Each structure stands twice: as structure tokens, then as C-alpha cells.
Amino acid sequence: MKKAMCAGIDVGATYVKIGLVSSGGKIVRKTQIPSKIHAPAAEMLGRTAETIRQMMTEDGYELAGIGIGTAGQVDVDKGILHEAPNMPDWKEVPVGDILGGHLDMPVVLDNDANVAAWGEYAFGAGRGTRFMLMVTLGTGVGGGMVLDGRPYRGITNAAGEFGHSTLDMDGWVCGCGRRGCVEAYVGTQGFKRQVAEKLKAGRTSLLTRIDPEVLMPVDISRAADEGDALAVEVFRDTGVYLGHAIADVVNLLNLERVVIGGGVAKAGERILGPARETVHAICLRVPSNAVEIVPAQLGNDAGIIGAAWMAGCLRQDE
Ligand SMILES: [Zn+2]
């Protein structure tokens, strides 16, 4: 008998990551293909289906289910990608119908930040919890929630926009057009701004060597590793900003665990430590005592594993 595998797909603006996931949540094979976001989305979905078919045939597996996460706003019930800011040519794409048509199987679609949260919940840092928030730090700042053991999406699948909670009504301008959002401080642009403000104040730093336009969080990490005080401070401030926003959610929802993931989260305790201290310092006592702030465990695989889990063909008890 052929072994059944679940396909998990994670669509980003640069690559489509595709994995075959065993029923116990292990990725047995994965690959990536270019997203080619200026070609029609149907073309990308066709190549994705072809890649899955090839992987299944080569390894002699049988397809048990398909889940797919994409950036942007989606309709989970209808399997439609409405739009995604970083993939502007793809609008109102019936992802479920197209991909499901190619592979002759229903497809479950959700937003990528949600899918990463489901992955961490089922097989990563959120395992064993019932009330969890995952925060994804990257170019933008995403969020996904599990409440009472169920993925929480809100009435129109728009829940979890942690990055656009307000830290400061008169604060820095965010990519969404509003002021003072969390993302404006701890998204990639936020890091640039944090560094620029400190340098403008006359501070010295290894970071003065880098063109502010191309400065990335990884450069700040490197400088912090070399003992640069300004870089260390940027991460600490980032943790404090995050901690304030997380504390609001914890007071509101009495969460059990907050999982911090995404590329920037590689800075680890430099961000998590101050975030934790801030949450415990400003949260009300009872919810504060109940919550843990922990790093994500699945890294870039969270999207693939979460997508496969969402398709309903994985078990959490293995
Ligand atoms: Zn915003």
C-alpha cells in the first residue's frame, strides 16, 4: 500500500515552498519554485501542482490532502485569494478551484501568518496549549491565534492583525497608512527608523558604515554580536515595543503562550527577554502569571507544516 502524504504549500512573493508532510507532522521532502508574481497566478498554481505530482510519483506516495498558505487577504470558505500587497497582480484568484482541479482534490487555503501559527500550534512551540498567539516578525508583522483549541479567524478571516495594533496614536507612519502601528516600529522599516533616529541624535555605531536605505535587521544583529551598544539597544527597544503590544492582547484574551517567529526573531533573547519583562511588568497580575513568551520552533517550515495540518490529514498525537 502506498504511504499517504499531505502536501503543504507556502506561497511568498519570491518562492513557493512545497513540502510533503507525514501524518505525524514531519516534512519528508520539500522543494521550492519561483513565484513569478508578474505571470498569472494560474500559471504558478499549475507549476505547483506539477511539482507535487512529480514528488508524489518519484517517492511512490499517495496524496491525502492539500493545504496552502499565501500572503494577503483570503476567503477561507471559498478558497479565494482576494489580494496581497506584495503580489499586486494577483487579485480574486480562485486558488482552491485551480489547484484542486489540477490535483483532483479539495484544497484548504488560508493567510500565511495564520498558517504559520497553526503549524507552531500543532507541531512546534505552541504544542499542548489551547490559547496561543503567534507573532511573525519580518518585513511586516503578522499574527495568528488559536483560541480554546481552535484556529481563530474572525468574521471575515481578518483576525490576527497584531502588526496594526496602535502603540502610539501620533507615532511613526505605517505601511498601512495609519500612525503608530506595531509594524511601523518593529517591521523592517521600523528597524531602519529606529537606527536612523538614534544616529540622528549623534550616537556612534558600527551601523554608520551601512547605507540606511539597505540596512536590514541582520546587519543590526551582526553589529550587536560585535558588541555595538546602539544595535543592542535597538533590539531591546524592539522587545519593549513588542511587549507593550503583547500585554494588551494578553490582558484581553488571557493567553497561555505567545510564540515569536519570523526572520527577525532569530535575534532571540535580545528581543524576547525585554518583551517578556515588559509583559510581566505591565500586564494585570493574573493573566501575566499565566502567559509564557517563547521562540518559535519550526522556522521556515511552519508554513508548510501548518498548511498540511490545516488540510486535516495530520495527527497531533504521534
Ligand atoms: Zn499599520
Side-chain angles (χ1 to χ4, degrees):
M1 209 178 83
K2 283 183 178 176
K3 201 164 179 199
M5 287 293 156
C6 224
I9 305 154
D10 183 5
V11 181
T14 316
Y15 290 108
V16 179
K17 293 182 212 137
I18 303 166
L20 300 183
V21 185
S22 73
S23 62
K26 293 257 178 312
I27 296 181
V28 296
R29 191 170 165 185
K30 68 176 169 179
T31 188
Q32 59 185 29
I33 59 175
S35 308
K36 299 189 184 167
I37 55 169
H38 299 298
E43 194 263 349
M44 175 276 290
L45 292 166
R47 284 186 291 121
T48 300
E50 191 44 47
T51 306
I52 292 173
R53 207 177 288 126
Q54 234 171 44
M55 288 161 84
M56 303 299 294
T57 317
E58 280 169 19
D59 291 350
Y61 294 131
E62 190 177 56
L63 194 56
I66 309 162
I68 178 166
T70 89
Q73 269 95 57
V74 302
D75 182 325
V76 175
D77 297 327
K78 297 191 177 126
I80 291 172
L81 166 64
H82 290 309
E83 59 180 349
N86 54 358
M87 306 184 293
D89 292 351
W90 295 350
K91 289 207 164 66
E92 302 306 323
V93 182
V95 173
D97 285 351
I98 297 175
L99 190 61
H102 282 299
L103 293 166
D104 205 17
M105 185 172 283
V107 169
V108 186
L109 169 76
D110 205 340
N111 158 277
D112 58 356
N114 279 352
V115 170
W118 315 153
E120 289 290 342
Y121 165 70
F123 294 101
R127 236 173 327 179
T129 63
R130 285 195 305 137
F131 295 87
M132 183 201 99
L133 165 72
M134 174 157 179
V135 174
T136 310
L137 300 175
T139 310
V141 176
M145 275 179 292
V146 172
L147 298 181
D148 210 5
R150 288 160 177 267
Y152 181 81
R153 297 181 170 101
I155 188 69
T156 56
N157 301 312
E161 289 292 354
F162 174 82
H164 302 284
S165 339
T166 306
L167 276 177
D168 178 355
M169 287 194 303
D170 304 313
W172 298 347
V173 174
C174 178
C176 74
R178 292 171 56 242
R179 276 187 182 276
C181 296
V182 173
E183 185 171 302
Y185 291 80
V186 306
T188 301
Q189 290 304 325
F191 275 97
K192 286 183 187 174
R193 177 100 189 236
Q194 285 195 55
V195 171
E197 295 284 323
K198 287 183 195 298
L199 291 178
K200 226 166 39 187
R203 301 275 304 275
T204 52
S205 164
L206 296 169
L207 296 171
T208 48
R209 294 185 306 213
I210 300 167
D211 175 0
E213 278 308 302
V214 298
L215 179 80
M216 293 300 284
V218 64
D219 301 313
I220 307 173
S221 253
R222 251 179 240 132
D225 287 343
E226 290 175 45
D228 186 80
L230 185 144
V232 170
E233 203 179 291
V234 165
F235 284 128
R236 194 195 64 212
D237 291 354
T238 297
V240 173
Y241 289 134
L242 266 180
H244 273 272
I246 289 170
D248 285 346
V249 185
V250 170
N251 275 339
L252 183 70
L253 296 175
N254 192 190
L255 298 168
E256 205 173 346
R257 206 169 291 168
V258 178
V259 177
I260 315 279
V264 178
K266 289 199 189 95
E269 284 302 310
R270 282 200 179 110
I271 293 177
L272 259 63
R276 213 176 273 131
E277 276 166 33
T278 305
V279 169
H280 292 310
I282 66 175
C283 249
L284 296 172
R285 191 173 55 86
V286 173
S288 170
N289 287 343
V291 72
E292 293 175 286
I293 319 278
V294 301
Q297 290 176 356
L298 301 179
N300 286 331
D301 291 340
I304 289 177
I305 294 174
W309 177 78
M310 184 172 72
C313 46
L314 306 186
R315 290 190 298 273
Q316 268 161 272
D317 53 353
E318 283 188 15

